Amino acid sequence: MDQARRQIASLIGAEPNEITLLSGGTEADNLAIRGIASSYGDKGHHIITSQFEHPAVLNTCAALEKQGWRVTYLPVYENGLVRIEDVRAAVADDTVLITIMHANNEVGTQQPIAEIGELIKEIRTRRKHIYFHTDAVQTVGKVPVNVKSLGVDLLSLSGHKIHAPKGIGALYIRKSIRIGSQLTGGHHERDRRAGTENVPAIVALGRAAELAKLHLESQYEHTKALRDYLEQEVVRRIADVRFNGDREHRLPNISNMSFRYIEGESLLIALDLKGVAISTGSACSSGSTEPSPVLSAMGMTKEQIRGSVRFSLSRYNTREEIDYVLNILPETVERLRRISPLYRQEILEMDACQAE
C-alpha cells in the first residue's frame, strides 16, 4: 500500500501522505465536498461549481443545498468552458469551496483549472478559508496533471479510467487541510476513511498509475492522432455532423458528435451489433431517460442532444479499428436516416421547393 501511494502521488506531483485511498471517483468527490463542508462550515455556507459537473458533484451539492448551503452553478456556454470572470464574480464572503472538474466526461473539454487556482491564490490574500477541488477522473493518466501547478487543494481520481480495476480510486488532500470523514469506524487512512482497505485493488491502482506515467506522452499522441483521423473522415464521409465542445481545449481521447435526423441510442445499438462500443453520454447516467444535462447546459437543441454519441479511445485502440468504424458508420447513419420521420419530412419539403 505504501508503494501504491507513492506511485499514485508521483503521477500527479503530490506527496504519498497526501493520498487517501477510496472506492472510486464518486466517493472521492463526496469526501472532498462533504469533508470540506463539515470541517469549514463555520467559515461560510457557499459553494461554487459548474452546471455540467459529474453527478457525484452535482448531486452532492444539491444534497447540501437541502441542508442550508447556497450553491452557485456557473454556466459553461456553447463551447463547454467555464469563464474565469464568472468564477471571480461568484466568489462571496461566505464562499468556502470551489469545485470545477478538470475535464468533462462527455465532451472532453478541459477547464482552466490552473487559472482558477491562480485566482484562488489571489483571493486567499483576503480570505484564508476558501478551498479548491477538481474532479480529475477524466484527465489523470490522459494528460499531464500536477496538483501544485494546478493550484488545487483536493483532486479526485478513479482507477478504472487508467486500466486499474473498478471500485478503487483516490483523493489528493493538500497537507494542512482538515477533512471531515464521512464514514465512522476505525482509524484507517489517517482518520479520513474508515474501513478495511482493498489491498489487491490498491496495488493494481498503484501499478496502473506507474504505467500511466510511463506511457503518458506516447498515449497522448496516439489517441489524439486516432481521434483527429476519426473526426476528419467522419466529416468527409457523412453530411450534417456537428462536433460538440471546444475544439482546442479538450482531451485527446474523447470525441462527442451529433448526427442530424437520427437518435443516438439507435446508432449505439446498431454499432454494438457490429462490435463497436460507443455511448450516448456518461456511463454514470445510464438508465436515465432525460436529455444529457451536459449537452443541455451547453445550450444544444433537443434534436442535437438526441443525435449525440461519444467515442472514447485509449492506447489500446488501433488505426485498423478506426478504419473498421469508418467503413460501417456512413452506411449505418444513412440507413437510420432513411427511416427517420424528420429526415423524410425534410426531403419532401426540399422536393416541393425544387418543383416550384
Side-chain angles (χ1 to χ4, degrees):
M1 282 178 56
D2 288 342
Q3 178 177 324
R5 227 181 284 271
R6 288 193 295 271
Q7 291 164 322
I8 297 163
S10 177
L11 179 60
I12 61 172
E15 298 297 326
N17 62 3
E18 295 176 313
I19 303 298
T20 298
L21 298 163
L22 308 162
S23 64
T26 292
E27 186 182 356
D29 287 342
N30 270 262
L31 178 57
I33 297 168
R34 295 179 188 273
I36 289 294
S38 62
S39 292
Y40 299 99
D42 60 328
K43 307 299 181 184
H45 266 64
H46 180 226
I47 297 171
I48 299 171
T49 188
S50 80
Q51 291 178 345
F52 78 166
E53 296 292 310
H54 189 277
V57 170
L58 290 178
N59 291 341
T60 302
C61 288
L64 287 173
E65 280 187 292
K66 294 178 181 178
Q67 298 174 20
W69 283 74
R70 185 168 61 90
V71 181
T72 298
Y73 298 91
L74 300 177
V76 292
Y77 305 96
E78 185 178 358
N79 62 354
L81 293 176
V82 168
R83 295 178 182 173
I84 295 293
E85 56 266 31
D86 289 344
V87 179
R88 185 186 295 274
V91 174
D93 290 339
D94 61 340
T95 304
V96 294
L97 177 66
I98 297 175
T99 174
I100 304 290
M101 68 191 338
H102 195 188
N104 184 264
N105 47 309
E106 287 190 39
V107 294
T109 50
Q110 282 187 253
Q111 302 301 331
I113 298 301
E115 289 84 347
I116 297 173
E118 286 296 319
L119 172 62
I120 292 173
K121 188 185 299 183
E122 173 196 324
I123 294 171
R124 280 203 184 115
T125 61
R126 306 187 301 274
R127 288 195 66 247
K128 179 181 178 182
H129 293 290
I130 183 168
Y131 302 95
F132 186 22
H133 165 250
T134 188
D135 179 334
V137 166
Q138 288 293 332
T139 55
V140 170
K142 308 292 196 325
V143 296
V145 174
N146 184 290
V147 293
K148 294 180 177 61
S149 60
L150 290 177
V152 296
D153 303 301
L154 307 107
L155 180 145
S156 303
L157 64 91
S158 186
H160 70 279
K161 295 297 182 182
I162 56 173
H163 308 292
K166 294 180 181 179
I168 187 67
L171 177 65
Y172 157 77
I173 306 172
R174 183 171 58 80
K175 291 177 183 177
S176 79
I177 290 183
R178 300 194 318 271
I179 200 89
S181 176
Q182 301 307 297
L183 292 176
T184 54
H187 300 286
H188 310 82
E189 297 299 302
R190 297 172 176 263
D191 286 325
R192 289 169 172 170
R193 200 269 191 182
T196 303
E197 292 93 344
N198 184 354
V199 178
I202 290 168
V203 171
L205 175 56
R207 177 62 172 152
E210 183 179 54
L211 291 172
K213 183 177 181 181
L214 179 66
H215 297 291
L216 187 62
E217 185 175 348
S218 61
Q219 174 176 280
Y220 181 95
E221 295 300 331
H222 176 70
T223 54
K224 182 178 183 299
L226 292 182
R227 182 204 65 192
D228 291 347
Y229 174 58
L230 171 67
E231 291 182 346
Q232 290 163 9
E233 289 300 306
V234 165
V235 168
R236 190 175 71 83
R237 303 182 193 199
I238 304 173
D240 292 314
V241 180
R242 165 196 167 112
F243 294 105
N244 305 316
D246 191 89
R247 304 291 290 158
E248 180 182 356
H249 304 287
R250 57 174 177 154
L251 293 176
N253 64 303
I254 291 179
S255 179
N256 190 297
M257 53 186 83
S258 299
F259 296 89
R260 196 175 180 191
Y261 306 117
I262 68 172
E263 297 281 344
E265 194 71 29
S266 298
L267 182 58
L268 182 152
I269 294 169
L271 291 182
D272 181 64
L273 292 171
K274 296 184 178 182
V276 178
I278 61 172
S279 68
T280 53
S282 166
C284 306
S285 300
S286 60
S288 173
T289 58
E290 295 299 315
S292 163
V294 168
L295 302 182
S296 296
M298 293 167 60
M300 292 174 56
T301 67
K302 288 184 178 180
E303 180 189 353
Q304 290 169 338
I305 295 173
R306 284 197 301 267
S308 297
V309 296
R310 180 185 68 167
F311 291 84
S312 298
L313 305 168
S314 81
R315 69 172 181 266
Y316 297 110
N317 288 117
T318 65
R319 174 73 172 245
E320 289 73 24
E321 289 174 330
I322 302 300
D323 283 329
Y324 175 73
V325 172
L326 291 169
N327 286 334
I328 63 174
L329 187 60
E331 184 277 330
T332 305
V333 169
E334 180 60 27
R335 176 167 54 82
L336 292 173
R337 282 176 173 172
R338 283 198 301 269
I339 62 176
S340 165
L342 285 173
Y343 185 68
R344 291 201 303 268
Q345 179 63 32
E346 184 148 325
I347 292 298
L348 289 173
E349 290 175 358
M350 289 174 61
D351 289 344
C353 289
Q354 289 175 356
E356 290 177 2

